[in-house]
Amino acid sequence: MAQELKKATKPTWYDPLKSASLADQPVLKVYNSLTKEKVEFRSANGKTIKWYNCGPTVYDAAHLGHARNYMSQDIVRRILIDYFGYDVHFVMNITDIDDKVQSVGYPMQLETYLGEQIIIRARHNHLLDQLRATSTVLSEPLLTQANEAWRAYFASKLKAVALSKSDSPADIDAAWSELLNKEKGDEKWWSDAKAADEKFTMHIASLRKAKEGINRAVTAISSNQTSQADASALIDATSDVLAPYLDATLGSSLTDPSISRRLAAHWESAFYSDMSKLRILPADTITRVTEYVPEIVQFVQQIVRNGYAYATEDGSVYFDTRAFDGGKARSGVQGSEQEWSHFYAKLQPGKKGNKEALEEGEGALSSGASKRFPADFALWKASKPGEPAWPSPWGPGRPGWHIECSVMASEIFGDNMDIHSGGIDLCFPHHDNEIAQSEAYHDCRQWVNYFLHTGHLHIEGLKMSKSLKNFITVQDALELYSARQLRLAFLGQLWSSPMDFKQSTMLEVKARESSINNFFSVVKALVIESRSNNVASDQQHHYNEPEKELAALLTETQNAFRAALCDSFNTPDALDRLLELISRTNVYLQRGRSNINVNVVERVAGWVTKMLRMFGLGEGSVTSTTIGWGEVEMEGTNADVDRDAILMPYLKALSAFRDGVRQLAIQQASAKEILALCDKLRDEDLAPLGVALDDQEDGKALVKLVNPDVLLRARDEKAAAAAAKAAKKAAAVEAERAKKAARLEKGKIPPTEMFKPPNVEDGLYGSWDDKGIPVTDSEGKDISKAKSKKLAKEWEIQDKLHREWKEWLEAEKGE
């Protein structure tokens, strides 16, 4: 009798996490500048992150340093959103009023080449525009003004070279001539001058450009060419020397903030354009300093009321670092564990007394003479003549540099945020001062939870500088490399580490990109072919050990990839994991398409696609089945496709190939000629259409659709390499021919004539035998036996060389 089933009961369920080691599960850790180590990342608001980023000071074109900084932050932001699933509110400020020779949001090391500050540059541009507008003709007074500006610039910028005896026009002109002579004839002096002042060559370039413009203007006036266009040409050529000259006399009258704002608006727009070309996500919220001046005034007032700032007689307000550092917090409970004190310079406490860094942080137009302590910094600056001004309780003035971020971030996020980011050199004093004044205002213990600082960027081991001629704008970089290649380069470096931008690095990046391109094109071709064949099941599952190994490798890579990103966004390691997976999958593909499981390969390629796009490397829209980078959608595309226009180029290529085969068959051509026609179809006819044919082991080509530019570039590079090889071979043959010709040139003289004038000194010998060998000397005496023997040997050598020369000459004539 069969045993009855047991009475139904609820089965035991086993929690998989209890059987797994929690230590093996990676958690996200980030390098926090506040702790100087990697710490676990925890958002204070669940899955929502409040992130404030120091944006640019907009007064010049964005450069490669900006690209590295903002693209690195963009990569981290994308990882947090698209990989870890956070909701990020990303706020970035625009500094549109400033007097520092540096770019906020990127290391101060770049200060020497970034140009002039917003206030001064805006005045310069305004004054030059005014001069252009009023100079309706090219006149002698305008030419005189240009000459005076040129000499003033020379006197102020090149004092270090000490060539001019005085500032008189004659002495300065003489000094310029002497300087040009030294450029040509005194290399050591010129080298020493450049070493003494890194802007020396830049000043020389400005002076030379201006002098050439002045000389052209002199010629134009003498030829009665004095139109407004000629006047503008002079002003443009001498703008570098004219701007400071005009500013010295007229700049103090320009106090309208709109003057600075116009300049900032222009470069702000250019900055957004550059960031868009780099495919950097726009900020969720943009804040501009000039739009928050009333809030800045109120913020400063509260800090004064809290006892951490003081006003000075000139109408400035300074933060009192001594009152703040160690000051008891008002929100703490006295005598309990909750009692705490404020701390100044949390990021870099060792730099509290760094005079150079403190002065740099105060700006070029600030004296700081009225502050009580060297470490105190300006919250509000009394405006001087020529500087924009806003009303305040302390008189007309403008915001200090550090206060702007504190106010704007507080207006958006309140008394705490998760992430604050910027360039590494902003740690002190900018970010340390931001922290201090914000915690003084809010009376809070920790205004920022995680500080992320991107590392320095150098070019071939050197800091980027116009004087070193290695200054690269974003536009310059994009003419050399694609946005994807730049992003791949930055992904290959830790976001928080210094980076040396080298040509060798970019060659490696291009090789990596090419490897990924080829992988995607092969897999896409296999997937399209597999789907188009629509073959019924062959009753084999095609999921054997090789497929199991590849699937296991994918899982292993996914786990390692996650561990890398949890390790403070270690993109170099994560990218290496992807490339290794691609390499191993390529090995699997070498089994041949009849021996592979396309579904497994498609799954690998699909995940690789998703991760690369997560890094911001993709283009255009995607679907769940997209493989590869994707493509930018062309403007104006729609469903009304012109079928003939699309198909005709391919049909023409096929028809031309058919015609060629028929002609060769009629002519009974060789197999070599037919294969050459096949190569022509592949390399010349299909490549411009974006079709690549890869020969396979089974004799059937694998058809791939690839960007035509990529194919044409590869074809041209192959042809260029072949041409270079052929040229090298031809050059070697010609060199050997020339070498032989030079040797045989001696054989032109017949041996019968070699010992007779003019081939020897006249009168050296008296008589010769029938071979032309000397018998007697000039006095009629017989030649000694030893010398006769030597002369006979020389004759035999020449005889052989002469015969070789005649043979070579006949061969040359035949060719």
Side-chain angles (χ1 to χ4, degrees):
M1 182 176 176
Q3 186 177 356
E4 293 184 6
L5 292 173
K6 293 181 179 180
K7 187 178 179 180
T9 58
K10 184 180 179 180
T12 303
W13 179 80
Y14 297 95
D15 186 345
L17 287 180
K18 288 184 177 179
S19 61
S21 172
L22 291 178
D24 295 335
Q25 306 300 316
V27 295
L28 176 59
K29 293 185 176 182
V30 301
Y31 182 83
N32 189 354
S33 297
L34 287 164
T35 63
K36 303 296 186 292
E37 62 183 354
K38 297 172 187 176
V39 295
E40 185 174 347
F41 181 80
R42 295 191 183 97
S43 170
N45 302 279
K47 296 296 287 184
T48 299
I49 294 175
K50 296 190 292 185
W51 183 345
Y52 181 88
N53 173 54
C54 272
T57 299
V58 282
Y59 56 87
D60 207 341
H63 49 73
L64 196 58
H66 290 116
R68 198 271 165 126
N69 181 41
Y70 295 112
M71 193 176 280
S72 295
Q73 294 179 41
D74 182 70
I75 290 167
V76 172
R77 181 182 171 192
R78 289 172 181 268
I79 293 171
L80 287 170
I81 296 171
D82 296 332
Y83 190 82
F84 289 109
Y86 283 99
D87 296 313
V88 176
H89 183 185
F90 189 84
V91 179
M92 184 178 74
N93 78 294
I94 297 294
T95 297
D96 53 358
I97 178 68
D98 190 36
D99 62 8
K100 293 168 308 309
V101 189
Q102 69 173 64
S103 174
V104 178
Y106 200 70
M108 296 176 193
Q109 63 169 331
L110 305 179
E111 64 174 18
T112 56
Y113 67 78
L114 278 173
E116 298 167 29
Q117 55 273 36
I118 290 178
I119 296 173
I120 296 177
R121 175 169 292 194
R123 289 203 310 248
H124 286 185
N125 287 355
H126 181 78
L127 291 168
L128 287 171
D129 287 343
Q130 279 189 328
L131 185 61
R132 289 188 187 94
T134 56
S135 300
T136 56
V137 294
L138 176 59
S139 62
E140 287 290 350
L142 179 61
L143 181 60
T144 299
Q145 192 175 36
N147 271 309
E148 290 175 352
W150 187 91
R151 294 186 181 103
Y153 188 95
F154 185 98
S156 64
K157 302 298 184 182
L158 297 182
K159 280 186 177 180
V161 300
L163 290 174
S164 179
K165 297 177 182 178
S166 71
D167 288 347
S168 70
D171 285 343
I172 288 177
D173 290 345
W176 174 249
S177 298
E178 185 180 352
L179 190 147
L180 294 180
N181 289 333
K182 287 186 176 295
E183 180 184 18
K184 297 176 181 177
D186 196 337
E187 186 176 339
K188 183 179 182 307
W189 183 93
W190 195 262
S191 178
D192 290 344
K194 289 195 293 184
D197 180 2
E198 63 177 5
K199 293 185 179 181
F200 176 75
T201 53
M202 191 165 64
H203 295 322
I204 293 297
S206 294
L207 288 164
R208 181 177 277 123
K209 176 185 173 185
K211 179 61 78 172
E212 290 170 354
I214 290 170
N215 291 339
R216 286 194 298 269
V218 170
T219 303
I221 290 175
S222 64
S223 304
N224 290 322
Q225 296 176 0
T226 58
S227 68
Q228 186 169 13
D230 295 313
S232 294
L234 173 60
I235 294 170
D236 291 342
T238 59
S239 59
D240 287 350
V241 301
L242 259 178
Y245 177 80
L246 295 171
D247 190 59
T249 55
L250 303 172
S252 61
S253 64
L254 305 177
T255 59
D256 184 355
S258 66
I259 294 175
S260 297
R261 181 58 205 153
R262 280 196 297 272
L263 173 73
H266 168 79
W267 289 114
E268 181 182 345
S269 177
F271 173 80
Y272 293 145
S273 175
D274 286 340
M275 296 303 104
S276 176
K277 292 172 184 175
L278 293 171
R279 299 192 195 116
I280 293 173
L281 295 173
D284 299 311
T285 302
I286 291 288
T287 62
R288 298 178 184 85
V289 181
T290 54
E291 296 172 355
Y292 280 82
V293 175
E295 288 82 0
I296 290 172
V297 171
Q298 294 170 12
F299 200 93
V300 173
Q301 284 180 297
Q302 185 60 47
I303 296 176
V304 173
R305 284 194 291 267
N306 288 351
Y308 296 120
Y310 56 90
T312 59
E313 291 182 359
D314 68 347
S316 297
V317 180
Y318 287 90
F319 188 83
D320 192 335
T321 54
R322 288 181 295 179
F324 178 79
D325 196 18
K328 298 294 182 184
R330 290 163 175 75
S331 59
V333 179
Q334 189 171 4
S336 71
E337 293 182 359
Q338 282 137 8
E339 183 180 15
W340 53 276
S341 302
H342 289 295
F343 190 97
Y344 177 61
K346 286 183 174 181
L347 291 167
Q348 294 189 343
K351 285 192 174 182
K352 285 183 183 180
N354 188 316
K355 183 179 179 182
E356 183 179 351
L358 289 167
E359 289 178 352
E360 228 168 41
E362 287 301 271
L365 301 179
S366 301
S367 65
S370 58
K371 61 183 178 181
R372 298 173 184 172
F373 187 66
D376 294 350
F377 55 89
L379 302 177
W380 184 261
K381 300 179 180 181
S383 291
K384 297 186 288 293
E387 298 175 9
W390 286 264
S392 81
W394 313 285
R398 55 194 172 84
W401 173 33
H402 316 295
I403 197 68
E404 61 186 59
C405 291
S406 293
V407 175
M408 293 185 289
S410 294
E411 283 292 312
I412 306 298
F413 292 139
D415 63 359
N416 180 258
M417 72 184 79
D418 297 294
I419 298 175
H420 194 323
S421 58
I424 183 63
D425 276 8
L426 295 181
C427 271
F428 186 88
H430 183 54
H431 286 158
D432 266 324
N433 289 352
E434 268 191 57
I435 293 172
Q437 61 202 8
S438 300
E439 293 179 356
Y441 173 86
H442 295 292
D443 197 31
C444 64
R445 198 165 194 170
Q446 186 163 288
W447 183 56
V448 175
N449 296 336
Y450 302 90
F451 246 113
L452 309 186
H453 287 103
T454 55
H456 292 303
L457 179 99
H458 288 79
I459 307 293
E460 300 288 353
L462 301 172
K463 71 176 182 178
M464 192 161 51
S465 169
K466 285 182 179 176
S467 61
L468 295 176
K469 297 183 179 180
N470 65 354
F471 181 84
I472 305 174
T473 66
V474 169
Q475 294 289 347
D476 294 336
L478 288 174
E479 289 180 6
L480 298 172
Y481 312 107
S482 68
R484 180 188 300 138
Q485 289 167 347
L486 292 173
R487 190 172 287 256
L488 277 170
F490 298 146
L491 281 164
Q493 305 288 329
L494 287 173
W495 60 272
S496 56
S497 297
M499 178 181 180
D500 194 4
F501 190 84
K502 296 181 177 180
Q503 187 176 6
S504 59
T505 301
M506 296 312 296
L507 290 174
E508 183 180 342
V509 162
K510 288 183 176 181
R512 284 185 163 189
E513 183 187 37
S514 177
S515 175
I516 298 171
N517 282 339
N518 185 65
F519 171 72
F520 281 148
S521 62
V522 169
V523 174
K524 282 192 291 185
L526 289 169
V527 170
I528 292 171
E529 184 181 71
S530 175
R531 289 173 181 165
S532 63
N533 288 340
N534 196 23
V535 179
S537 172
D538 60 1
Q539 303 303 306
Q540 299 293 322
H541 56 66
H542 298 286
Y543 205 92
N544 300 306
E545 281 306 309
E547 287 72 33
K548 293 177 182 178
E549 290 176 5
L550 185 58
L553 176 64
L554 173 59
T555 300
E556 178 187 331
T557 302
Q558 288 170 329
N559 292 333
F561 185 87
R562 182 178 185 84
L565 295 188
C566 283
D567 183 22
S568 193
F569 316 110
N570 189 338
T571 56
D573 188 18
L575 191 59
D576 285 343
R577 299 288 182 172
L578 292 179
L579 292 169
E580 176 63 20
L581 176 61
I582 289 172
S583 177
R584 297 274 291 277
T585 305
N586 284 335
V587 172
Y588 171 78
L589 292 173
Q590 290 174 5
R591 293 163 50 86
R593 58 183 165 188
S594 60
N595 297 312
I596 64 172
N597 187 322
V598 175
N599 290 333
V600 178
V601 175
E602 183 180 10
R603 182 168 167 246
V604 170
W607 182 75
V608 170
T609 293
K610 186 177 178 181
M611 294 305 99
L612 291 176
R613 292 187 68 89
M614 180 269 297
F615 282 145
L617 293 165
E619 298 176 327
S621 59
V622 295
T623 66
S624 59
T625 58
T626 296
I627 291 176
W629 310 112
E631 294 185 8
V632 177
E633 293 133 0
M634 302 297 292
E635 291 184 11
T637 56
N638 52 51
D640 299 327
V641 177
D642 186 344
R643 186 169 176 270
D644 291 345
I646 293 176
L647 292 178
M648 194 54 66
Y650 302 89
L651 297 177
K652 284 184 177 179
L654 180 61
S655 176
F657 177 71
R658 176 180 177 275
D659 294 341
V661 172
R662 290 182 72 252
Q663 287 296 323
L664 291 176
I666 293 170
Q667 297 168 6
Q668 297 182 337
S670 66
K672 183 178 180 181
E673 291 173 290
I674 295 174
L675 289 174
L677 185 64
C678 292
D679 290 342
K680 177 182 178 297
L681 174 68
R682 179 192 62 201
D683 298 333
E684 296 182 23
D685 300 330
L686 294 181
L689 301 175
V691 178
L693 301 180
D694 277 3
D695 294 332
Q696 302 290 303
E697 78 287 345
D698 59 3
K700 298 177 182 178
L702 179 64
V703 180
K704 300 189 299 184
L705 299 179
V706 184
N707 187 312
D709 291 339
V710 173
L711 289 178
L712 292 174
R713 186 163 56 248
R715 182 197 69 186
D716 294 344
E717 288 174 354
K718 182 179 178 181
K725 184 177 180 181
K728 185 177 180 180
K729 183 177 179 181
V733 171
E734 176 59 23
E736 183 62 29
R737 189 201 68 78
K739 182 179 178 182
K740 185 174 181 180
R743 184 176 68 84
L744 294 176
E745 184 70 14
K746 297 178 181 178
K748 289 173 65 175
I749 301 173
T752 55
E753 300 297 320
M754 66 180 292
F755 296 119
K756 297 178 181 178
N759 299 310
V760 296
E761 183 181 348
D762 192 19
L764 183 62
Y765 299 111
S767 60
W768 299 264
D769 63 15
D770 56 348
K771 290 184 176 181
I773 300 174
V775 178
T776 61
D777 59 16
S778 58
E779 298 176 355
K781 297 179 181 178
D782 292 335
I783 301 295
S784 67
K785 289 183 178 181
K787 188 168 183 179
S788 293
K789 188 175 181 181
K790 179 181 178 183
L791 293 173
K793 190 165 185 177
E794 291 177 4
W795 188 93
E796 290 175 359
I797 293 171
Q798 184 65 19
D799 181 59
K800 182 180 178 182
L801 196 60
H802 186 63
R803 288 198 303 272
E804 288 180 4
W805 177 78
K806 288 195 293 184
E807 291 172 0
W808 173 80
L809 195 62
E810 289 298 318
E812 285 289 295
K813 290 179 180 178
E815 293 179 0

